[in-house]
Amino acid sequence: MARKGRVGVLLRINAGDGKYTYIKPVWDGNKLKPLVGIIAGKEVHRPEGRYYLRYTELGKNHLEPVGSDPTDVLIFLKVRQAKLAVFEAARATGLKVVPVDENPGRVTIQASMNAYLAQLERDERPEKSVSSKRFELGEFARFCPRRFMDELTRDDMVDYRKHLKKHGNVKTKGALHDTPVYNRLISIATWLKQNPLFPMRPLLKYPDDYTEKVDGIPEPYEPEEIARLRKAALTSRDRLILDFFLATGCREQEVGNIEFSDLIPALGVVRIQKKAHWKPKTRAGSRDIPISPALMKRLLDFQRGGRALIFPSPTGRVEKHFLDRLFKPLGDRAGVRNMTCHRFRDTFATEKVQWAKNMQQLRTVARWLGHSNLETLNVYAQLLENRSKAVQKGSAQMDTFGGEVELIDDVVTTV
């Protein structure tokens, strides 16, 4: 691991007055404790911290930023260790290894990626989005045999596309289908165009270079599935989280960052808005979503100990794992397959599009979802057209506005 090998891990924290310092992170076995470091011999949680890799290459020390997600840190740690191993093996065979400083004007792929990620952070892109970009770029850097940006060719991208279709990446551990391959190629193309150090035209330029992107078909939860999920919820907190996803159509990051201050009882809405270290995907920057008085009361009654976040993680930080910690186990108990957070959003959107009677109401639905235009609602309208009358009748049993249902024995009643 990093504590024993040539690559070390440091946690950069704010020392005040615009200055930063680096401290040792805390390990729990082979994993990092999230943003916890050692100060004066004590473990201290520093939420503003960012991880860096420290290593030496050709006698020169390097500090490589790798973000705040411990999972990403371990991935980049393995990538950096592998690169150093290849680097040293080349030297051992007598090959001339040229340091970056001996190549004035040339930009390394890693430097370009680091600059691009730093630019995303300066632009206050959502942390999860930056983390995802960091992982995807790291996977490309691990695969690509090139060192410098001016060495990249179309063949490198084509080979990477073939690699993804056959082997996937370290997270999927298996082949990827056309749509995720397409999305990853677009991420690499975006980096090539927008990196501040060596912007270049996308290397894939022919129609057949990209895999076919298949637009996702909405998959809302059926009313009977929702009833089973509520019945299988073990605690009132689990049921409240479930109801909140259904009643608001919020994205997972949005639910994780919701604070009690975002609840506005006088208007009967929850406000999705920018935070100090996060901003919503919505272009408008903020939006209000109406919720029922019953759900508003349950949320306000859930406040404990003066905490800011409504649904914090077990460590008190922003929850990023609703699916793994709650919904997958819940789905197993309820016998509901294909549990995803986005299916709750599909459920909300489908019900609201069905509720809308005119263009103005459709615009309202788009605003609740955080969409900038009505075209994104077409897939839900198409889904409703394809549904049978029996399914539409069953869906109408759901509460259109609040999405809340309480279980009394085996009977579903609207509140």
Side-chain angles (χ1 to χ4, degrees):
M1 295 304 298
R3 295 161 291 176
K4 302 176 182 178
R6 298 179 303 277
V7 184
V9 179
L10 295 175
L11 183 64
R12 190 188 77 167
I13 62 173
N14 192 336
D17 297 328
K19 298 180 180 180
Y20 296 90
T21 188
Y22 297 86
I23 61 176
K24 291 182 178 180
V26 176
W27 294 81
D28 183 6
N30 290 327
K31 296 182 179 180
L32 286 165
K33 288 188 176 181
L35 300 178
V36 176
I38 300 293
I39 299 179
K42 297 182 179 180
E43 295 187 8
V44 180
H45 177 239
R46 298 299 295 261
E48 86 287 0
R50 292 294 184 270
Y51 289 104
Y52 279 71
L53 298 184
R54 179 179 61 184
Y55 62 94
T56 301
E57 188 177 52
L58 287 179
K60 183 177 180 180
N61 294 326
H62 297 268
L63 279 173
E64 178 183 349
V66 287
S68 60
D69 190 322
T71 302
D72 289 344
V73 174
L74 297 181
I75 292 172
F76 273 91
L77 173 61
K78 292 178 181 179
V79 170
R80 178 51 59 189
Q81 287 175 330
K83 281 181 173 290
L84 287 179
V86 172
F87 192 71
E88 293 179 1
R91 294 184 65 194
T93 59
L95 295 176
K96 178 176 174 56
V97 179
V98 183
V100 177
D101 293 343
E102 294 181 13
N103 293 273
R106 300 189 76 187
V107 176
T108 64
I109 290 174
Q110 190 63 58
S112 169
M113 290 179 174
N114 291 344
Y116 173 65
L117 294 169
Q119 177 176 276
L120 295 180
E121 291 183 339
R122 285 196 300 272
D123 292 343
E124 297 183 334
R125 294 287 296 274
E127 183 179 335
K128 192 170 183 178
S129 175
V130 176
S131 176
S132 176
K133 293 285 187 183
R134 182 176 290 109
F135 171 77
E136 292 171 5
L137 293 177
E139 283 289 290
F140 178 74
R142 183 172 67 89
F143 168 83
C144 183
R146 314 300 178 192
R147 179 176 176 83
F148 295 97
M149 293 292 290
D150 56 18
E151 296 175 332
L152 289 171
T153 67
R154 172 179 174 272
D155 288 343
D156 295 320
M157 292 289 285
V158 171
D159 290 343
Y160 187 54
R161 182 196 68 199
K162 294 177 180 178
H163 170 77
L164 290 173
K165 285 183 68 67
K166 186 175 181 179
H167 302 290
N169 56 44
V170 295
K171 286 186 178 180
T172 61
K173 298 180 181 179
L176 290 173
H177 298 298
D178 283 350
T179 296
V181 170
Y182 175 91
N183 291 335
R184 282 156 177 78
L185 292 177
I186 290 297
S187 289
I188 301 302
T190 302
W191 155 65
L192 291 174
K193 289 190 297 183
Q194 297 182 1
N195 81 85
L197 296 185
F198 198 90
M200 56 193 296
R201 296 172 65 89
L203 298 171
L204 296 179
K205 50 188 176 181
Y206 303 112
D208 292 341
D209 284 347
Y210 290 95
T211 58
E212 182 181 0
K213 181 182 180 182
V214 181
D215 291 330
I217 300 175
E219 189 181 357
Y221 290 104
E222 300 297 339
E224 59 271 17
E225 290 181 314
I226 294 172
R228 294 206 305 271
L229 288 172
R230 284 199 177 94
K231 190 172 184 179
L234 298 178
T235 66
S236 58
R237 176 183 181 273
D238 292 350
R239 189 177 293 109
L240 183 57
I241 295 174
L242 176 66
D243 286 343
F244 190 86
F245 269 91
L246 285 167
T248 62
C250 284
R251 303 175 178 93
E252 184 179 18
Q253 291 182 59
E254 293 171 343
V255 177
N257 283 277
I258 287 290
E259 299 179 351
F260 286 100
S261 59
D262 297 320
L263 301 176
I264 309 177
L267 300 178
V269 301
V270 56
R271 180 161 293 166
I272 311 300
Q273 58 186 337
K274 178 180 176 181
K275 302 294 189 299
H277 302 288
W278 173 84
K279 66 177 182 179
K281 189 176 180 180
T282 308
R283 288 187 180 180
S286 67
R287 68 185 193 275
D288 290 350
I289 305 173
I291 58 177
S292 68
L295 179 57
M296 179 68 76
K297 183 178 186 303
R298 289 168 61 197
L299 290 168
L300 293 173
D301 290 345
F302 191 58
Q303 190 166 16
R304 300 287 188 277
R307 68 171 188 266
L309 293 169
I310 298 181
F311 304 119
S313 71
T315 59
R317 301 173 63 234
V318 172
E319 178 60 87
K320 301 178 182 179
H321 306 286
F322 285 107
L323 184 61
D324 291 333
R325 286 183 177 149
L326 171 59
F327 292 130
K328 282 186 177 179
L330 185 60
D332 290 341
R333 292 194 301 272
V336 177
R337 303 178 61 183
N338 190 26
M339 290 292 300
T340 70
C341 293
H342 200 273
R343 286 191 67 191
F344 293 112
R345 187 168 169 82
D346 284 345
T347 305
F348 175 89
T350 303
E351 291 299 321
K352 299 306 181 186
V353 169
Q354 188 176 31
W355 159 79
K357 299 298 188 295
N358 52 52
M359 190 61 67
Q360 183 58 44
Q361 289 180 334
L362 281 174
R363 291 193 182 95
T364 299
V365 172
R367 187 170 65 252
W368 290 340
L369 289 166
H371 292 163
S372 57
N373 58 63
L374 297 180
E375 292 182 6
T376 52
L377 301 182
N378 287 341
V379 291
Y380 303 107
Q382 184 65 44
L383 175 69
L384 289 171
E385 289 178 6
N386 294 336
R387 280 187 165 190
S388 68
K389 292 183 179 180
V391 174
Q392 291 183 21
K393 182 179 179 181
S395 299
Q397 295 175 3
M398 294 182 59
D399 174 9
T400 300
F401 289 92
E404 292 185 83
V405 174
E406 287 187 354
L407 285 174
I408 303 176
D409 295 328
D410 292 329
V411 180
V412 179
T413 58
T414 304
V415 295

